[in-house]
Amino acid sequence: MSRRRQIYEGKAKILYEGPEPGTIIQYFKDDATAFNAEKKGTINGKGVINNRISEHIFTLLGHIGIPSHFIRRLNMREQLVKQVEIVPIEVIVRNVAAGSLSKRLGIEEGTPLPHTLLEYCYKDDALGDPLVAEEHIACFGWASQEEMQDISAMAIRINDFMAGMFAGIGIKLIDFKLEFGRVFEGDFSRIILADEISPDGCRLWDIETNEKLDKDRFRRDLGGEAEAYQEVARRLGLFPEGVSEVLDLNSERKKRGK
Ligand code: UDP
């Protein structure tokens, strides 16, 4: 395991070569960034929690027929996934106005949208992931029109499923980001869900109090970010042994150098 080849290090994850061709290991870090990496920090235990939450959501999505890169979770911080060619588009799904939408169009945060809004951003850190139209995506060949149909249909189904799932545990799904990838089968390729789904890339508000249970706690210096991620995991019924116990145990082990 120690000799494996690192393929890529991103802001929140490291990708290693997987055990078989066509597979990758995703390692979830505690590192947190915001505002195109201008703000940097760590959220204790985030990697462990995001690994578990993402496993949970991708598994449930698989049950309703959403194909994804997820194969299985390997350990506390790693999961085995299929290698994909990432479509260079971030798909933002919005149910309630917040964040950049509120800023851009002057709509008060928390205003419910009359219907689900899909937005696309071109994945390019140097450009700050600019918002683009489907016409740009077609014009520059980032994804075909057929692929965009699959992507948008999947994004809407994922949103319907996730909004219901979170509502059931007293959480409003305000917005979230998805990434998709291509897998090649002979001369054909198909689109599958990739990356991760976790409080890093979702806005999650408590239904009763509107308390933020996501990365906005870090972005906006609200404090309590580790507790917020733990709360989402707890409500999802993950870590039945207790999230904090699992995380404390880990840091104890680390201290002892194991
Ligand atoms: N998002 C993300 N990665 C990005 C940009 C956005 O995960 O690079 C998520 C973000 O967490 C939020 C949603 O996408 O849940 C919409 O983000 P928005 O466009 O409002 O951007 P922000 O206000 O975070 O800059």
Side-chain angles (χ1 to χ4, degrees):
M1 284 300 236
S2 55
R3 285 272 183 90
R4 65 193 175 185
R5 195 166 69 86
Q6 183 174 316
I7 297 173
Y8 175 77
E9 175 154 10
K11 286 171 263 182
K13 292 191 290 293
I14 305 175
L15 304 183
Y16 296 99
E17 208 167 55
E20 293 136 37
T23 63
I24 292 215
I25 294 169
Q26 278 193 343
Y27 176 96
F28 288 75
K29 301 191 282 186
D30 284 351
D31 297 354
T33 63
F35 314 119
N36 206 17
E38 272 170 40
K39 181 178 162 87
K40 286 187 183 142
T42 54
I43 301 175
N44 257 340
K46 172 172 87 76
V48 174
I49 292 171
N50 283 358
N51 186 23
R52 193 73 185 80
I53 291 179
S54 201
E55 170 198 24
H56 181 68
I57 296 178
F58 276 53
T59 302
L60 294 178
L61 289 173
H63 293 162
I64 62 155
I66 303 288
S68 83
H69 72 161
F70 180 77
I71 301 173
R72 65 175 186 278
R73 186 166 61 84
L74 296 171
N75 54 48
M76 298 271 276
R77 287 189 182 268
E78 294 176 329
Q79 49 181 247
L80 185 66
V81 300
K82 287 183 197 155
Q83 186 164 27
V84 299
E85 179 182 278
I86 284 285
V87 175
I89 300 295
E90 293 191 343
V91 179
I92 310 284
V93 186
R94 299 184 184 273
N95 299 307
V96 175
S100 70
L101 175 75
S102 291
K103 214 181 261 174
R104 197 185 326 127
L105 301 179
I107 299 167
E108 197 188 339
E109 278 211 320
T111 311
L113 301 172
H115 62 80
T116 299
L117 195 59
L118 291 187
E119 291 180 338
Y120 305 106
C121 296
Y122 178 51
K123 258 173 81 72
D124 186 316
D125 283 341
L127 298 175
D129 299 340
L131 184 72
V132 294
E134 282 196 68
E135 282 75 5
H136 296 95
I137 298 172
C139 183
F140 298 109
W142 295 322
S144 71
Q145 242 131 342
E146 243 189 333
E147 287 177 329
M148 288 310 292
Q149 272 172 17
D150 288 349
I151 286 174
S152 55
M154 271 194 253
I156 294 291
R157 283 198 73 206
I158 293 167
N159 180 54
D160 287 345
F161 177 83
M162 281 185 27
M165 178 189 77
F166 280 118
I169 54 168
I171 291 175
K172 264 192 280 190
L173 178 60
I174 305 298
D175 58 30
F176 60 101
K177 186 233 359 175
L178 296 173
E179 292 189 28
F180 293 86
R182 296 183 186 96
V183 278
F184 293 89
E185 286 153 9
D187 288 342
F188 297 94
S189 71
R190 67 189 177 97
I191 292 285
I192 64 176
L193 177 65
D195 194 43
E196 69 176 295
I197 300 180
S198 71
D200 264 8
C202 300
R203 283 198 172 91
L204 305 169
W205 295 2
D206 182 86
I207 281 184
E208 298 290 329
T209 64
N210 280 337
E211 187 192 355
K212 296 182 198 323
L213 299 171
D214 55 57
K215 207 167 98 176
D216 271 350
R217 301 208 72 84
F218 169 77
R219 290 190 193 100
R220 302 180 186 190
D221 294 320
L222 300 174
E225 45 270 51
E227 292 74 14
Y229 281 62
Q230 288 175 27
E231 177 62 10
V232 175
R234 191 191 65 75
R235 290 199 201 179
L236 284 169
L238 308 174
F239 302 104
E241 63 277 50
V243 191
S244 46
E245 280 75 4
V246 170
L247 297 174
D248 286 343
L249 191 77
N250 240 19
S251 60
E252 278 310 306
R253 266 198 209 128
K254 234 190 254 162
K255 270 187 230 151
R256 282 185 272 130
K258 288 191 186 166

